[in-house]
Amino acid sequence: MSKSGTILYLDGVSVSFDGFRAINNLSLVLDRGEMRAIIGPNGAGKTTMMDIVTGKTKPDSGEVYFNGEIDLTRHDEADIAMMGIGRKFQKPTVFESHTVEDNLMLSLKGPRSIFPALFHRKTADEVRRIDDILGIIRLGDKRHMLGANLSHGQKQWLEIGMLLAQDPKLLLVDEPVAGMTDAETEETARLLKDIAKTHSVIVVEHDMHFVRELGVKVTCLHEGSVLSEGTLDFVSADDRVVEVYLGR
Amino acid sequence: MTFLRAIGLLLLLFATSGASAQSNETALRETIADLSSVKNFRETEEIVRSLGATGDPVVGRVLNALSDGNVSFRKSDNVVFIVSERAGRAKLFDPISGDEVGEATTTELTKVKVNNGLRRSIREVFATLTLGSPNPAVRQQAADTMFISPDPAAIEGLDAAIAKEDVASVKQRMVQARAAAVLASDLPEADKLAAIEVIGARGDRSALSLLVSYQGRSEGALREAAASAASGIESTIAVWNAAQNVWYGISLGSVLLLAAIGLAITFGVMGVINMAHGEMVMIGAYTTFVVQNIIRTSYPGLFDYSLAIALPLAFLVAGFVGLVMERGLIRFLYGRPLETLLATWGVSLVLQQLVRTMFGPTNREVGNPSWMSGSFQLGEMAITWNRLWIVVFSLAVFALLLYIFNRTAWGLQMRAVTANRRMAASMGIRTPWVDAFTFALGSGIAGIAGVALSQVDNVSPDLGQGYIIDSFMVVVFGGVGNLWGTLVGAMSLGILNKFLEPYAGAVLGKILVLVLIILFIQKRPRGLFALKGRAVEA
Amino acid sequence: MITRRFFANGADRRIFITIGLLLGVAVLVPILNIALPPDSAFHVPSYMVALVGKYLCFALLALALDLVWGYCGILSLGHGAFFALGGYAMGMYLMRQIGDRGVYGNPILPDFMVFLNWKELPWFWYGFDQFWFAVIMVMLVPGLLAFIFGWFAFRSRVTGVYLSIITQAMTYALLLAFFRNDMGFGGNNGLTDFKDILGFNVQANTTRSAIFAASAVALALGVFITWAIINSKYGKLLIAVRDAESRTRFIGWRPENVKLFAFTVSAVMAGIAGALYVPQVGIINPGEFAPANSIEVVIWTAVGGRGTIVGPIVGALLVNAGKSWFTGVLPEYWLFALGGLFIATTLFLPRGVIGMWDHWMATYRERKAAALPPSAGTPAATTPQQREWQASATGGAPEPQPAE
Ligand SMILES: Nc1ncnc2c1ncn2[C@@H]1O[C@H](COP(=O)(O)OP(=O)(O)OP(=O)(O)O)[C@@H](O)[C@H]1O
Ligand SMILES: [Mg+2]
């Protein structure tokens, strides 16, 4: 496999915790501009894979390349985020004592050192960006509400908004529709498809309707490695996938 | 004359303890009385020898005095006394019992004259007296005394004693004493070389000092031989010193282990830092004090059992205080570890002041039972019994906790709660009770640590404060993954401290250890034995 | 939106009132002390000037702690060390000002060095005869220590109680070190018997009043700087790190640097507080490094309300006034009171006096807003510091978390 043209390239990645292999010889390639859905039973290693890509967990072995050239295993979380990999956590985490607006402001792309932050003044451009994003994530009327007071679904969206504010090249989105109503789920799918027009995206989700809605290539993980890959129909027809995940 | 004095003292020691061969006291007195009628040194020497021939250690006193020129007889009635003169007056002592029997002016007395030849004879008599004692301990002691203050004149006596000796270890000491005497004599070089070898083989500190001082006054081959023997001893002593340091370290480590292990349990299971942990230790120590006080006033016979009585009491008292703390305060603060830290600090202030009000601010006397006092010698190390017992005790406590943790249902529950509280709760474990009793257990252990510490430290209201930071360091260093971390943490910190002390001094050593720990947790922020898992990153 | 603006203004107004008050006190108290005759009803006695001046230094120390604890979640149990280092730097200047008026009359060496038979001044005492040098050191030494310490601690992601414990170990190590005679800082007795500061007699009323004024101005400045920091984007980041450290990392910030800056600034503030404290009490000794002192600072901050700027100042003044009263009237009960304060504050007043007040006002306004027609129904904004309590209140029953 060639790394050129890929946004994310994982080859032979393994990691174990106290002897338990959470990721086992995992190989996965994402092309630039591609959106990929990842499914798999609980404990399949989906979140752990994201931990590896974002530098939170160091793999025991294997190659992890970003943009075909950057070895991610040599960088830490902040570096990787600055390179343009954004991540939404499985459990939504926003800055609870900040307003929605400030949450976005802190995530906006820009220098990340202390002194500029100390003397920072909000520019008109930033205000516009924040307004845009607020529009996209439909939280315009909540801009002064504290993160802590948002509902679960609103927190999910705010987190996606924070991702957008970073303007990353690759978005890792872990279970974005958990705890959402059907209508909200559809909204989110539409939103992600929008985003995918200009970004590379990996979405982890258990909700099959949502995955179908996205209509993209699907990878099914099981026990830390790829079980099956292809269109949703292809994957869900795969006997092994049915066996371990979907059920008959 | 120190040598003679030492031997004399030794003799008296054993005389009173009733060595056999008790000769007829009147016969002795008659012989001594003859001293008033001697005409020359030869006659005096005869009397000395016949006194020696009695083999009765009691003659040591008068011989000693004679050699010092302190034996006189009263002109009026020719009675012989040991005298102590001062400004023309003399106190009179009975030559056998040593009791003071009266006073006289010096003019009323005539001194029994001695010269150097006579003194030598007295020494020889002395040596044979002790070396010939039927008690092997006396003989060995005599040989050791002679080793420390060697006297060439004793060689003959030693030779005779060696020939007669049948206890191997005593014989060896005599040979060594002889070698020391040979070094001090003007015997030929070959003899001295052999002697150096014998002394070198003895290999203890007194042999070293003997060789070093001999090295200073000899030359040539002898000097070299002494030097090499001395350096040989030095290296064995260095090993012993290291062993001694390790021992001190283990002893400090076991104290730390006792103080820290309860802290590690509560911190590990509940994530609670109990700043009042030191005060639990203090409460245990004061419980011991109270127990001993009651025993002293009411049942003095039980004093040796005071610690055994104090142990369960201290556990209960401190455990109860802990239980009250957990139910009354800490359970409202779970999930807010920093605030728990502050609240428990408040409790520690209150407890300290309470004890200060009740028992006063000064140190309280807690006695060592007889089996905890004294020390014994192991090779070149001195080991005190109280330290040894504390090491044994702390390891026993550790083993017991290990058992509770790994082999009992309660331990299983504690481990389950440590690993995953929610899951444990949903499996039907009553987590509040596990918390409460874990906290009580941790406090109770601190209480019994207090009983042990009362044996080696001052019992005062600040007792706990002195240990709290060190205990924290043990927990931070060892990690809270399991109890072994605490053991390893405590022992390594104890030993490290004691090894740094000789080079850096106690205070600087301690500072260095603190700095090292601060650096260490850069590398391993969760200590040596860390818990792993997602909870860690939350 | 309107409510929010009101709140922001409310908070800012409080800051400016505080600064104004402090500046007013800085001018007024010296005048009332010096210019008015002692029998006047408005005369401020000198002992009061000294006492309150001391409290102001404590308030600055508490404010410094608040910056890291209240806004960044770093519970430092070693801030007393920075305070003491600042104090020692000032003490060294004051020692060298004694000149040949010491007991031994040595023009260069302070008395304790003569006593220890030292022949020359150790290198680290050079320059302390200059005031400007001492002032630089007052800020540089605590700042540098905080920077080095923080660099190691934050980089290795030591957090929570672990961090608290090693800060405590840090001040303990310094305590032991400064107790040593051969450290060259006067050992047990510390530095004392000061004569002059900038050529003025430290004992004189006018000098004392001037130092009092300096303390009040320094505190006002501290309030302003803290306020400016908190209201900058960096300040928001600081709070973000407090609440969700790893989240900030995943959007590209480096929490260790964020914390390091706050920690260093805070240490410098503590150092300045210490430097102003020493000439007012006339002595600095290793006892200032005692871990118990540092923990006491925490309770001042907690009582007043952490995460508020005015709170720590109010707390420091209240608790220390209480301490002075207690030690005068019921000395043996002070520790009971202090211990009880620790317990009561954490149990019943976790937001402190000011935080509690804000909370009450917010609920009151909310009620009033709810009673108004729905047009005013913008969601009630809460001040940042209130969020935490709401979160913990809604989070259900508290539950222990095993050590990490
Ligand atoms: N830091 C860690 N320490 C120990 N075990 C871990 C750690 N991180 C992940 N694991 C384990 O690795 C396995 C994979 O976990 P992961 O969270 O990646 O699964 P997942 O596919 O995201 O599951 P879910 O669908 O439930 O989110 C799990 O068994 C988990 O317990
Ligand atoms: Mg997951």
Side-chain angles (χ1 to χ4, degrees):
Chain A
M1 272 188 285
S2 155
K3 290 175 207 151
S4 67
T6 65
I7 188 84
L8 188 64
Y9 175 92
L10 275 76
D11 191 26
V13 176
S14 298
V15 69
S16 43
F17 301 106
D18 292 331
F20 171 74
R21 283 217 155 193
I23 296 286
N24 188 9
N25 199 14
L26 173 72
S27 301
L28 189 128
V29 175
L30 189 73
D31 290 327
R32 266 192 205 122
E34 185 187 347
M35 167 142 83
R36 175 78 58 90
I38 295 189
I39 59 172
N42 294 118
K46 305 181 294 289
T47 304
T48 309
M49 182 209 66
M50 291 196 172
D51 286 350
I52 290 172
V53 173
T54 51
K56 185 174 173 190
T57 302
K58 294 274 168 246
D60 300 337
S61 60
E63 296 185 340
V64 185
Y65 278 86
F66 175 60
N67 230 345
E69 56 193 19
I70 304 170
D71 182 356
L72 289 181
T73 57
R74 295 165 177 278
H75 296 271
D76 69 355
E77 296 100 315
D79 268 351
I80 292 173
M82 287 306 283
M83 288 169 197
I85 299 184
R87 173 174 185 187
K88 192 199 93 58
F89 286 87
Q90 180 163 358
K91 176 172 171 255
T93 38
V94 298
F95 302 126
E96 305 211 321
S97 35
H98 284 315
T99 59
V100 169
E101 191 179 347
D102 285 346
N103 266 286
L104 293 176
M105 203 257 292
L106 286 174
S107 320
L108 274 185
K109 192 175 182 162
R112 289 289 194 252
S113 34
I114 301 304
F115 289 96
L118 205 51
F119 301 105
H120 178 83
R121 292 255 155 271
K122 225 188 261 178
T123 62
D125 191 41
E126 282 177 348
V127 174
R128 206 167 329 112
R129 282 277 300 145
I130 290 177
D131 285 344
D132 283 352
I133 294 169
L134 282 174
I136 296 174
I137 60 175
R138 288 151 213 270
L139 288 175
D141 55 340
K142 305 258 180 337
R143 65 157 64 206
H144 294 306
M145 195 142 135
L146 290 187
N149 298 339
L150 294 176
S151 73
H152 185 79
Q154 288 166 338
K155 277 186 194 167
Q156 299 266 40
W157 274 348
L158 175 55
E159 218 184 341
I160 294 174
M162 289 164 75
L163 265 185
L164 289 176
Q166 280 180 74
D167 192 20
K169 300 193 185 81
L170 170 65
L171 283 82
L172 307 175
V173 189
D174 203 350
E175 306 201 11
V177 299
M180 284 191 180
T181 62
D182 286 350
E184 284 170 331
T185 303
E186 264 171 45
E187 279 295 335
T188 311
R190 207 170 309 141
L191 176 62
L192 278 179
K193 279 196 282 192
D194 258 1
I195 294 171
K197 286 180 192 147
T198 45
H199 301 82
S200 312
V201 184
I202 293 184
V203 186
V204 167
E205 202 27 270
H206 287 294
D207 185 329
M208 281 304 141
H209 294 290
F210 175 76
V211 174
R212 187 165 298 282
E213 199 90 22
L214 293 179
V216 294
K217 190 170 170 187
V218 174
T219 300
C220 179
L221 290 192
H222 176 55
E223 291 179 349
S225 41
V226 176
L227 190 65
S228 176
E229 201 167 81
T231 62
L232 182 58
D233 290 328
F234 173 80
V235 169
S236 44
D238 188 324
D239 278 348
R240 289 173 305 166
V241 175
V242 173
E243 178 79 22
V244 303
Y245 184 41
L246 297 174
R248 274 173 225 279
Chain B
M1 282 301 96
T2 46
F3 157 72
L4 215 58
R5 211 162 285 282
I7 295 262
L9 213 77
L10 198 76
L11 268 176
L12 285 180
L13 221 84
F14 286 95
T16 42
S17 65
S20 62
Q22 204 61 268
S23 60
N24 193 337
E25 195 184 311
T26 32
L28 273 182
R29 283 195 187 281
E30 276 168 20
T31 320
I32 291 172
D34 287 345
L35 281 173
S36 61
S37 55
V38 290
K39 301 192 180 58
N40 50 35
F41 290 125
R42 207 184 45 74
E43 282 186 28
T44 315
E45 188 177 335
E46 252 162 45
I47 294 174
V48 167
R49 294 225 180 261
S50 60
L51 279 176
T54 63
D56 189 337
V58 91
V59 302
R61 174 175 286 121
V62 68
L63 288 181
N64 212 349
L66 185 63
S67 135
D68 288 351
N70 284 339
V71 173
S72 302
F73 56 92
R74 197 151 52 199
K75 286 173 185 159
S76 55
D77 56 4
N78 283 354
V79 179
V80 177
F81 297 103
I82 296 175
V83 298
S84 130
E85 286 178 19
R86 193 157 190 207
R89 308 230 12 115
K91 285 198 175 126
L92 308 179
F93 300 90
D94 183 84
I96 293 190
S97 69
D99 299 331
E100 186 171 344
V101 288
E103 264 194 353
T105 59
T106 39
T107 48
E108 293 168 325
L109 300 169
T110 308
K111 192 165 271 181
V112 179
K113 295 198 178 62
V114 282
N115 67 359
N116 278 340
L118 194 54
R119 287 203 181 92
R120 192 170 309 125
S121 313
I122 293 175
R123 267 202 304 270
E124 282 163 27
V125 166
F126 254 125
T128 40
L129 255 184
T130 44
L131 288 173
S133 162
N135 185 343
V138 179
R139 299 200 298 271
Q140 172 164 344
Q141 191 66 297
D144 282 350
T145 318
M146 291 167 90
F147 181 83
I148 291 165
S149 30
D151 180 359
I155 295 178
E156 258 171 66
L158 277 166
D159 280 337
I162 291 167
K164 265 194 291 175
E165 186 57 63
D166 44 12
V167 181
S169 65
V170 179
K171 190 170 196 158
Q172 191 190 3
R173 302 296 184 103
M174 287 178 173
V175 171
Q176 288 161 352
R178 182 184 184 279
V182 168
L183 275 195
S185 72
D186 38 19
L187 286 170
E189 189 169 306
D191 287 336
K192 289 192 174 173
L193 281 176
I196 288 174
E197 198 166 314
V198 171
I199 297 171
R202 181 176 162 123
D204 65 355
R205 283 195 182 79
S206 46
L208 179 64
S209 63
L210 202 71
L211 285 172
V212 168
S213 78
Y214 182 67
Q215 197 187 330
R217 50 190 161 76
S218 62
E219 20 189 68
L222 283 174
R223 189 191 177 99
E224 268 161 41
S228 80
S231 74
I233 295 179
E234 260 163 12
S235 55
T236 36
I237 285 187
V239 172
W240 278 111
N241 272 344
Q244 179 90 57
N245 274 339
V246 170
W247 167 249
Y248 285 150
I250 289 176
S251 142
L252 176 64
S254 60
V255 167
L256 290 179
L257 176 65
L258 277 177
I261 197 157
L263 198 67
I265 292 173
T266 44
F267 188 41
V269 176
M270 305 152 81
V272 162
I273 274 289
N274 181 10
M275 294 292 265
H277 189 78
E279 276 56 48
M280 302 294 163
V281 176
M282 173 197 68
I283 287 177
Y286 272 92
T287 309
T288 319
F289 166 71
V290 171
V291 166
Q292 286 202 349
N293 238 8
I294 294 175
I295 286 180
R296 270 209 193 96
T297 52
S298 313
Y299 316 96
L302 288 179
F303 190 75
D304 271 357
Y305 302 97
S306 58
L307 295 190
I309 299 168
L311 270 184
L313 278 177
F315 182 85
L316 289 179
V317 172
F320 177 73
V321 175
L323 192 67
V324 171
M325 256 177 87
E326 202 277 341
R327 286 288 92 186
L329 174 63
I330 292 173
R331 73 180 164 120
F332 301 110
L333 296 172
Y334 283 137
R336 287 149 68 189
L338 296 183
E339 281 165 54
T340 315
L341 192 153
L342 294 181
T344 50
W345 174 260
V347 173
S348 92
L349 290 182
V350 170
L351 288 177
Q352 265 178 58
Q353 188 60 24
L354 203 65
V355 167
R356 206 170 281 136
T357 323
M358 284 166 62
F359 295 95
T362 48
N363 288 349
R364 286 287 158 171
E365 165 79 18
V366 171
N368 290 352
S370 58
W371 49 274
M372 285 280 269
S373 21
S375 66
F376 64 93
Q377 196 76 19
L378 183 75
E380 292 297 299
M381 299 166 23
I383 292 179
T384 52
W385 280 107
N386 58 359
R387 292 279 172 180
L388 182 68
W389 279 116
I390 287 179
V391 172
V392 171
F393 178 65
S394 67
L395 292 179
V397 169
F398 178 77
L400 182 72
L401 284 177
L402 214 54
Y403 174 80
I404 292 181
F405 250 65
N406 295 337
R407 293 274 184 279
T408 65
W410 181 23
L412 182 65
Q413 295 190 351
M414 281 195 278
R415 279 182 295 139
V417 172
T418 313
N420 190 334
R421 176 170 293 272
R422 268 165 210 274
M423 187 60 87
S426 56
M427 303 290 283
I429 294 177
R430 290 174 185 232
T431 50
W433 283 108
V434 173
D435 290 335
F437 282 104
T438 308
F439 201 84
L441 176 71
S443 304
I445 300 286
I448 60 178
V451 179
L453 289 187
S454 73
Q455 295 298 304
V456 289
D457 203 345
N458 297 326
V459 177
S460 73
D462 321 317
L463 172 75
Q465 289 301 303
Y467 287 96
I468 192 75
I469 293 199
D470 286 333
S471 319
F472 280 150
M473 290 301 116
V474 169
V475 174
V476 167
F477 180 68
V480 291
N482 63 38
L483 290 179
W484 291 101
T486 317
L487 180 70
V488 174
M491 289 302 163
S492 31
L493 288 193
I495 293 174
L496 186 64
N497 239 319
K498 287 298 170 186
F499 265 88
L500 284 176
E501 239 169 54
Y503 308 104
V507 175
L508 214 56
K510 210 164 181 178
I511 297 172
L512 273 177
V513 170
L514 287 176
V515 172
L516 282 180
I517 291 175
I518 292 177
L519 289 179
F520 169 82
I521 70 172
Q522 311 302 318
K523 279 274 151 252
R524 300 194 66 139
R526 308 278 162 203
L528 276 179
F529 291 73
L531 277 181
K532 294 200 186 110
R534 281 203 168 153
V536 173
E537 289 134 33
Chain C
M1 200 135 188
I2 300 162
T3 29
R4 172 174 161 83
R5 187 141 317 139
F6 181 82
F7 263 91
N9 283 349
D12 291 353
R13 207 171 52 205
R14 184 186 287 158
I15 299 303
F16 289 120
I17 290 175
T18 310
I19 292 177
L21 257 169
L22 285 170
L23 294 179
V25 163
V27 177
L28 211 60
V29 168
I31 293 178
L32 294 183
N33 174 239
I34 299 165
L36 289 189
D39 50 0
S40 153
F42 296 103
H43 175 78
V44 177
S46 297
Y47 81 88
M48 266 311 246
V49 176
L51 199 66
V52 178
K54 208 172 86 177
Y55 293 172
L56 291 177
C57 298
F58 289 154
L60 183 56
L61 175 59
L63 181 64
L65 180 72
D66 189 38
L67 178 62
V68 287
W69 184 34
Y71 291 102
C72 197
I74 304 167
L75 176 54
S76 164
L77 297 183
H79 253 53
F82 304 127
F83 181 81
L85 285 175
Y88 264 97
M90 179 54 83
M92 285 161 83
Y93 162 76
L94 293 171
M95 278 315 255
R96 301 228 29 203
Q97 291 308 299
I98 296 175
D100 56 7
R101 285 168 294 173
V103 179
Y104 297 106
N106 189 313
I108 305 285
L109 295 189
D111 277 349
F112 74 87
M113 293 189 193
V114 183
F115 183 75
L116 290 174
N117 258 327
W118 290 17
K119 293 288 167 260
E120 50 189 308
L121 205 63
W123 59 268
F124 47 84
W125 277 75
Y126 291 162
F128 276 97
D129 48 341
Q130 301 296 324
F131 188 71
W132 61 265
F133 184 82
V135 169
I136 292 177
M137 287 299 144
V138 159
M139 298 190 272
L140 194 67
V141 173
L144 203 64
L145 175 66
F147 186 84
I148 294 171
F149 183 88
W151 172 275
F152 282 118
F154 301 141
R155 205 143 280 266
S156 58
R157 303 190 186 175
V158 181
T159 53
V161 272
Y162 277 92
L163 187 63
S164 300
I165 288 173
I166 64 163
T167 53
Q168 189 180 31
M170 173 194 78
T171 189
Y172 185 60
L174 284 169
L175 170 78
L176 293 178
F178 273 75
F179 262 124
R180 288 161 50 87
N181 271 331
D182 37 3
M183 272 287 282
F185 296 105
N188 226 342
N189 303 319
L191 311 176
T192 186
D193 288 333
F194 308 134
K195 301 275 193 276
D196 290 347
I197 179 165
L198 288 171
F200 301 101
N201 181 358
V202 275
Q203 309 282 356
N205 260 356
T206 42
T207 321
R208 283 180 173 274
S209 290
I211 300 177
F212 173 91
S215 307
V217 171
L219 181 56
L221 211 63
V223 168
F224 179 76
I225 290 176
T226 313
W227 172 80
I229 288 180
I230 296 310
N231 280 295
S232 70
K233 183 176 174 187
Y234 167 79
K236 299 208 161 102
L237 189 58
L238 201 59
I239 293 167
V241 168
R242 176 190 72 188
D243 292 344
E245 177 170 342
S246 72
R247 193 78 190 89
T248 55
R249 201 170 268 134
F250 287 106
I251 54 177
W253 295 99
R254 292 198 173 274
E256 55 270 25
N257 295 351
V258 175
K259 292 183 187 176
L260 190 57
F261 179 79
F263 197 60
T264 309
V265 169
S266 166
V268 171
M269 274 165 70
I272 294 173
L276 287 164
Y277 170 81
V278 167
Q280 301 192 64
V281 293
I283 183 169
I284 173 85
N285 63 27
E288 296 293 337
F289 286 104
N293 280 9
S294 296
I295 301 187
E296 217 178 300
V297 182
V298 175
I299 202 63
W300 305 339
T301 310
V303 165
R306 66 190 156 107
T308 67
I309 291 177
V310 181
I313 298 172
V314 173
L317 297 182
L318 275 181
V319 178
N320 280 297
K323 183 178 189 172
S324 299
W325 182 79
F326 255 108
T327 40
V329 185
L330 297 163
E332 62 277 27
Y333 290 99
W334 165 240
L335 277 185
F336 284 127
L338 185 64
L341 196 60
F342 271 99
I343 299 169
T345 311
T346 43
L347 274 187
F348 306 118
L349 206 69
R351 326 155 205 242
V353 179
I354 299 291
M356 200 64 162
W357 170 260
D358 283 347
H359 179 68
W360 279 337
M361 292 315 281
T363 23
Y364 171 73
R365 284 209 187 87
E366 228 167 274
R367 284 227 190 89
K368 234 166 105 180
L372 288 176
S375 64
T378 30
T382 20
T383 53
Q385 57 267 28
Q386 285 168 2
R387 172 310 302 172
E388 200 178 335
W389 314 112
Q390 281 164 354
S392 66
T394 51
E399 169 175 272
Q401 264 135 30
E404 293 153 6

